[in-house]
Structures are given as structure tokens and as C-alpha cells.
Amino acid sequence: QVQLVESGGGSVQAGESLRLFCVASGLAASGYCMGWFRQSEGKEHEAVASIDGDGIKRYINSGRGRFTISKDNANERLYLQMTDLKYEDTATYYCAAAPRVRIGCGSYTYWGQGTQVAVSS
């Protein structure tokens, strides 16, 4: 059974940093693309950062230069380092995994329960 468990969220002031953690079980992280998504009240679900099977990283435009995604395949962990947080980063952040396919990534099939990030200005 695949399980993704996030942690590391919290309440911070604008300009501060947080590091989100995701522990994956039941899957071999090296065989999956993994990503962080977020959803805030009244807004659509959006992709924040992802890392594919070749280690290529992608970021939401507003997160470039502030967010860093990393993956530890040996320990089945995914991280999101967020710096210089802004009020608009307030959301529930989800870890997700998509199987690698011949070219790129498949659909994000597995999702965690989310961890909340609240940034006060």
C-alpha cells in the first residue's frame, strides 16, 4: 500500500522559511516523479515544484529562486525548502507521486493528506 506523509508545515511571518518533508512508503521513489502541490481557499489546486526521474526540477514561477525541491531516493523522502515566504504562499501543501513512463511522467496517482502553511504579513 502506497502512503505519502507530509510534515513541516506551520505558521510563520513573511520573509521566514520552512522546510516541508514527505516520507513515501510502498513505492520505490527512484521509479517515480514526485512533486509538491498546494491549494488555498478559493483557489485552484496548483503545482509548486516537481522532480522527474532524471532529476529535472520544475517550479511554479512565483517560487523560482525561493523554493528548492529535492529527493532522497535511498530514504524515500521528498523535501521542499521554502525561503522568503509570502502571504500568498499560504495553502495546504501536498506531496504526490507519478510513475515514470517512457517519456516523462505519468499522472500523479498517489497523494498525501497535506500539511498546512500559513504566512502572516
Side-chain angles (χ1 to χ4, degrees):
Q1 182 181 357
V2 175
Q3 190 172 23
L4 303 176
V5 179
E6 305 95 335
S7 62
S11 297
V12 297
Q13 297 285 325
E16 293 184 341
S17 301
L18 280 174
R19 193 181 195 202
L20 304 185
F21 304 82
C22 174
V23 179
S25 59
L27 59 80
S30 61
Y32 285 79
C33 306
M34 297 192 74
W36 289 96
F37 294 75
R38 68 186 181 190
Q39 187 165 27
S40 55
E41 194 168 345
K43 292 186 178 180
E44 293 188 359
H45 198 239
E46 60 183 356
V48 176
S50 65
I51 181 167
D52 70 13
D54 295 319
I56 296 173
K57 303 175 183 180
R58 295 179 175 83
Y59 297 95
I60 190 172
N61 284 342
S62 64
R64 290 182 188 279
R66 299 190 298 124
F67 295 173
T68 303
I69 188 171
S70 58
K71 187 156 73 94
D72 179 351
N73 288 331
N75 294 299
E76 316 294 356
R77 292 176 184 264
L78 182 72
Y79 305 95
L80 183 68
Q81 178 69 46
M82 303 188 293
T83 62
D84 189 22
L85 282 160
K86 304 180 187 303
Y87 173 76
E88 48 267 36
D89 295 319
T90 297
T92 299
Y93 284 71
Y94 300 89
C95 170
R100 292 179 67 177
V101 293
R102 189 169 63 87
I103 299 175
C105 306
S107 298
Y108 281 90
T109 307
Y110 303 109
W111 294 82
Q113 293 299 305
T115 184
Q116 292 191 333
V117 172
V119 184
S120 55
S121 56

